């Protein structure tokens, strides 16, 4: 089931939380939804789950529209809201039974389904405890179990790994990846590494608008495609070197690396490489070039660049 | 239907798990029993085989207890955010509202059923007007339903249980006593209007054994008004 968002606009008062965005998530794809706090990620997700009614635009999940067949959409979606709200006074097993019944799973299959979820999510030892007594990580697993219990085609996960320890984060990621092969997954996060590790495609949203869309590789490239080098030249006056570097034709910007003597960060002009010319320069001047490393544009930088202004 | 029952069952379970149900049942039976049998204008004081004293005390105990049961229903879900989970399951707002209404209603029915021994005992003490007793119970059931529906409404507009409890009492007290007090100060249409809005007017006539469609319509409209406003409130959150 594909998710198709068409010209979605959602206003809170005069503020446009989501401003005319359109995108599509294909079956079998894990789409990472990135953006600073308050960018409109959660609002968009809530609109897809039919919890919020948009001001403008339409959303289709499979062939169902949020206006025409909300119940069909709800049946096919597994939704893990932000902060993973749960009934803390209920035992895990009762809670899963409650969710299974609400999802309309046949009575005879409920038990089997619950046991399957307990297995998949590793809740065996905790199944009779009250949800409120569980640690954050186990609560998150209960949240995932209730999301998956009716075997939905579409998963909407709003910050699924918040508050987990690194081991649990890896586990949950693996789980999402495994499940995500046959399903359509929309996952939001502001942890970039997570999105990079889990998602096939990334969508960056800022102030209610989509500012970037593509694989993490695409996004890096898109970040102007400028080559950045870190070089270190021993001996020689750093101001002389600085000047000489600036005069190289292909070099755009030269910066001192703070805290390190005679180290420079060099950004080449778009689409050009200055490695050769820098090497030549050093040879000509008789400087010892002791380091030349390409600096990879981090997704963080892309993210900052796209969302800072 | 299944979804409604699933929701009711969960709420009932939660009433019993959290001991609220037991506390409520014991307090209700204790209060009403105390004033029916032991103190004030009790059965022995009145020297009549009648449950009138029980009905008038239940009239007030239910008024205070019901908001304490309903205050949690939506306020807690609003506070913890579980309302979002619930409403994104394949259920509609009405199923949620009615499910929660039924859970409290069933608990009240249990409480009232547990007072049937009073009826049996009093009936053994002397000749009792059976019709009046049953219509009295019907009156209590209708009042409870009306206050449950008001309580659910006030629970849905807040995420603080205390606020919803107090608000339910505030709204309830008008129907409970203020309208009837005011009605005696006004004559003509306004007086009649206020008297019609007063729960006690209708309860008195029902518990005397007279079941008039006027009274039934009053209670049913109060119940539906509360439930509709709750639904509107849930729907409003999505805008």
């Amino acid at each position: 089931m594909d998710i198709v968002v068409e010209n979605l606009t959602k206003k809170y008062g005069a503020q446009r939380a989501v401003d005319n965005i359109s995108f599509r998530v294909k079956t079998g794809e894990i789409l990472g939804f990135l953006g600073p706090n308050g960018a409109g990620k959660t609002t968009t997700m809530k609109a897809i789950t039919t919890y919020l009614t948009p001001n403008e635009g339409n959303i289709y999940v499979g062939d169902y529209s949020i206006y025409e067949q909300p119940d069909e959409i709800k049946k096919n979606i597994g939704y893990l809201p932000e902060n993973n709200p749960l009934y803390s006074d209920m035992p895990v097993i009762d809670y899963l039974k409650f969710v299974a019944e609400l999802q309309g799973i046949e009575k005879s299959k409920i038990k089997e389904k619950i046991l399957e979820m307990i297995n998949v999510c590793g809740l065996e030892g905790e199944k009779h405890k009250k949800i409120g007594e569980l640690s954050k990580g186990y609560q998150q697993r209960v949240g995932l179990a209730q999301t998956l219990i009716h075997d939905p085609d579409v998963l909407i996960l709003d910050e699924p790994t918040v508050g987990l320890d690194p081991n649990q984060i890896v586990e949950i990621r693996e789980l999402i990846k495994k499940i995500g092969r046959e399903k359509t997954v929309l996952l939001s996060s502001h942890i970039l590494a997570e999105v990079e590790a889990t998602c096939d495609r990334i969508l960056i949203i800022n102030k209610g608008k989509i500012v970037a869309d593509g694989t993490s590789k695409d996004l890096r490239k898109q970040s102007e495609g400028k080559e950045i080098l870190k070089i270190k030249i021993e001996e020689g006056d750093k101001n002389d070197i600085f000047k000489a570097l600036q005069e190289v034709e292909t070099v755009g910007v030269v910066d001192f690396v703070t805290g390190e003597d005679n180290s420079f960060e060099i950004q080449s002009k778009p689409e050009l490489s200055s490695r050769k010319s820098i090497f030549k320069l050093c040879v000509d001047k008789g400087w010892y070039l002791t380091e030349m490393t390409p600096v990879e544009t981090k997704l963080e930088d892309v993210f900052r660049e796209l969302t800072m202004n | 239907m299944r979804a409604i029952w699933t929701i009711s069952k969960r709420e009932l379970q939660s009433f019993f798990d959290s001991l609220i149900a037991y506390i409520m049942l014991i307090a209700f039976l204790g209060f009403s029993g105390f004033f029916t049998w032991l103190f004030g204008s009790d059965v022995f004081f009145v020297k009549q085989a009648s449950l009138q004293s029980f009905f008038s005390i239940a009239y007030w105990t239910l008024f205070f207890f019901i908001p304490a049961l309903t205050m949690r229903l939506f306020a807690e879900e609003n506070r913890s955010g579980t309302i979002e989970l619930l409403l994104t399951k394949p259920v509609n707002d009405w199923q949620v509202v009615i499910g929660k209404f039924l859970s409290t209603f069933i608990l009240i029915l249990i409480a009232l059923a547990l007072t049937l021994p009073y009826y049996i005992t009093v009936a053994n003490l002397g000749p009792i007007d059976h019709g009046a007793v049953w219509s009295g119970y019907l009156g209590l059931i209708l009042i409870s339903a009306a206050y449950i529906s008001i309580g659910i409404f006030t629970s849905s507009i807040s995420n603080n249980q205390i606020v919803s409890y107090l608000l339910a009492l505030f709204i309830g007290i008008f129907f409970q006593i203020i309208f009837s007090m005011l009605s005696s100060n006004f004559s003509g249409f306004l007086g009649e209007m206020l008297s019609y809005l007063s729960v006690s007017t209708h309860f008195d006539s029902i518990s005397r054994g007279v079941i008039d469609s006027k009274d039934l319509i009053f209670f049913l409209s109060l119940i539906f008004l509360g439930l509709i406003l709750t639904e509107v409130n849930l729907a409003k959150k999505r805008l």
Side-chain angles (χ1 to χ4, degrees):
Chain A
M1 271 188 171
D2 292 9
I3 304 173
V4 182
V5 175
E6 282 175 357
N7 306 100
L8 176 73
T9 298
K10 176 76 197 168
K11 290 180 235 171
Y12 293 118
Q15 190 202 359
R16 281 167 181 268
V18 175
D19 194 357
N20 196 20
I21 67 170
S22 305
F23 62 90
R24 186 185 191 106
V25 195
K26 291 190 210 86
T27 311
E29 188 176 44
I30 304 181
L31 178 73
F33 213 24
L34 269 182
N37 294 324
K41 291 172 299 208
T42 300
T43 305
T44 309
M45 292 180 133
K46 282 183 180 173
I48 296 173
T49 60
T50 74
Y51 183 65
L52 284 180
T53 316
N55 294 93
E56 283 159 46
N58 205 339
I59 299 171
Y60 296 94
V61 176
D63 295 326
Y64 307 118
S65 149
I66 52 164
Y67 297 112
E68 314 289 331
Q69 300 102 340
D71 277 352
E72 290 302 318
I73 294 188
K74 287 178 185 175
K75 268 182 212 159
N76 286 298
I77 275 187
Y79 175 42
L80 182 67
E82 203 177 8
N83 304 326
N84 186 26
L86 296 164
Y87 297 112
S88 52
D89 56 346
M90 272 180 116
V92 174
I93 219 162
D94 289 3
Y95 177 62
L96 292 179
K97 185 161 173 258
F98 169 68
V99 175
E101 283 178 8
L102 279 186
Q103 289 291 2
I105 297 173
E106 279 172 58
K107 260 212 164 96
S108 53
K109 287 188 184 154
I110 286 182
K111 211 169 178 189
E112 181 191 328
K113 270 282 165 197
I114 293 174
L115 290 178
E116 187 191 327
M117 281 304 119
I118 283 174
N119 254 328
V120 171
C121 299
L123 287 164
E124 189 51 47
E126 329 291 319
K127 64 184 174 188
H128 293 299
K129 287 190 192 158
K130 283 192 176 177
I131 294 174
E133 292 165 2
L134 300 180
S135 71
K136 184 105 185 162
Y138 277 110
Q139 289 188 2
Q140 201 72 17
R141 290 173 196 217
V142 176
L144 269 175
Q146 69 83 21
T147 315
L148 298 169
I149 195 158
H150 55 300
D151 198 19
D153 289 327
V154 175
L155 285 179
I156 311 278
L157 310 172
D158 201 348
E159 309 202 344
T161 57
V162 160
L164 301 183
D165 71 38
N167 292 335
Q168 292 167 332
I169 289 181
V170 172
E171 269 174 48
I172 298 272
R173 267 188 213 159
E174 291 304 316
L175 187 63
I176 292 172
K177 265 190 176 171
K178 199 173 88 191
I179 303 160
R181 275 181 216 132
E182 308 108 60
K183 298 186 192 297
T184 316
V185 182
L186 179 58
L187 176 154
S188 90
S189 179
H190 47 237
I191 307 168
L192 299 153
E194 169 168 299
V195 172
E196 218 176 352
T198 339
C199 301
D200 307 318
R201 208 176 108 210
I202 297 173
L203 203 66
I204 300 182
I205 179 172
N206 187 36
K207 292 186 184 149
K209 288 188 178 343
I210 293 177
V211 288
D213 181 359
T215 62
S216 59
K217 241 188 204 162
D218 288 345
L219 292 186
R220 282 214 193 100
K221 235 185 248 163
Q222 201 183 320
S223 161
E224 296 166 89
K226 284 176 195 160
E227 180 196 64
I228 298 174
L229 295 172
K230 188 186 161 202
I231 64 165
K232 189 166 184 174
I233 294 171
E234 256 159 48
E235 296 170 24
D237 181 63
K238 63 178 179 183
N239 289 320
D240 287 347
I241 300 172
F242 183 80
K243 254 185 212 153
L245 284 171
Q246 266 185 329
E247 278 157 20
V248 176
E249 221 167 273
T250 53
V251 169
V253 188
V254 183
D255 249 331
F256 292 105
V257 176
T258 41
E260 283 179 67
D261 265 353
N262 286 13
S263 282
F264 304 88
E265 203 171 85
I266 296 167
Q267 203 181 66
S268 309
K269 287 180 182 153
E271 318 279 321
L272 292 174
S273 170
S274 3
R275 292 183 218 197
K276 279 184 190 166
S277 25
I278 290 171
F279 185 71
K280 242 177 113 188
L281 177 79
C282 293
V283 173
D284 289 348
K285 301 262 182 179
W287 293 331
Y288 292 109
L289 184 62
T290 53
E291 185 187 342
M292 183 184 307
T293 2
V295 178
E296 209 182 327
T297 335
K298 279 179 274 167
L299 205 52
E300 269 89 352
D301 300 330
V302 182
F303 181 78
R304 277 178 66 83
E305 199 171 305
L306 289 168
T307 56
M308 275 305 273
N309 31 56
Chain B
M1 219 30 235
R2 189 181 166 203
I4 293 177
W5 178 234
T6 304
I7 291 168
S8 296
K9 219 168 50 182
R10 196 198 80 78
E11 294 297 344
L12 265 176
Q13 185 76 46
S14 160
F15 279 136
F16 282 97
D17 281 352
S18 62
L19 302 182
I20 294 175
Y22 298 106
I23 294 170
M24 188 265 166
L25 289 174
I26 291 169
F28 175 69
L29 293 176
F31 270 118
S32 56
F34 183 67
F35 288 103
T36 307
W37 301 106
L38 301 173
F39 190 78
S41 52
D42 59 53
V43 174
F44 305 109
F45 181 80
V46 191
K47 295 204 168 78
Q48 257 182 359
S50 132
L51 279 183
Q52 220 31 261
S53 51
F54 163 67
F55 289 138
S56 48
I57 190 68
Y59 177 72
W60 278 99
T61 34
L62 289 172
F63 170 71
F64 284 107
F65 282 157
I66 286 173
L69 294 172
T70 55
M71 66 181 187
R72 203 193 84 255
L73 293 174
F74 280 102
E76 178 65 16
E77 299 230 27
N78 287 340
R79 191 191 57 77
S80 68
T82 44
I83 190 73
E84 190 177 338
L85 265 185
L86 191 56
L87 294 178
T88 49
K89 298 280 179 273
V91 293
N92 60 40
D93 297 356
W94 274 112
Q95 289 169 318
V96 174
V97 173
I98 293 182
K100 296 210 177 234
F101 173 84
L102 275 183
S103 68
T104 319
F105 191 59
I106 291 170
L107 185 59
I108 294 295
L109 289 183
I110 294 174
L112 290 177
L114 291 175
T115 63
L116 287 176
Y118 298 176
Y119 170 37
I120 297 165
T121 321
V122 172
N124 281 321
L125 290 177
I128 191 168
D129 181 351
H130 293 285
V133 172
W134 288 116
S135 62
Y137 271 109
L138 176 69
L140 286 183
I141 290 171
L142 288 171
I143 289 179
S144 307
Y147 284 141
I148 291 170
S149 129
I150 291 173
I152 284 185
F153 164 66
T154 61
S155 181
S156 76
I157 57 181
S158 169
N159 51 18
N160 184 314
Q161 300 188 23
I162 306 295
V163 170
S164 59
Y165 178 77
L166 292 177
L167 207 53
L169 281 191
F170 181 73
I171 296 174
I173 197 83
F174 280 90
F175 293 103
Q176 182 83 356
I177 192 161
I178 291 181
F179 285 145
S180 95
M181 279 160 63
L182 286 179
S183 73
S184 55
N185 290 340
F186 293 97
S187 57
F189 177 72
L190 192 61
E192 266 174 49
M193 189 70 197
L194 286 168
S195 156
Y196 184 77
L197 282 176
S198 157
V199 164
S200 60
T201 314
H202 302 280
F203 180 62
D204 285 347
S205 78
I206 287 186
S207 65
R208 253 184 276 117
V210 190
I211 300 171
D212 193 340
S213 59
K214 207 170 69 177
D215 304 322
L216 290 178
I217 290 170
F218 168 79
F219 283 117
L220 291 179
S221 17
L222 205 53
I223 295 165
F224 282 118
L225 187 68
L227 296 181
I228 287 168
L229 287 176
T230 312
E231 200 275 339
V232 167
N233 234 324
L234 285 187
K236 216 176 67 189
K237 281 191 213 310
R238 303 157 166 244
L239 294 178

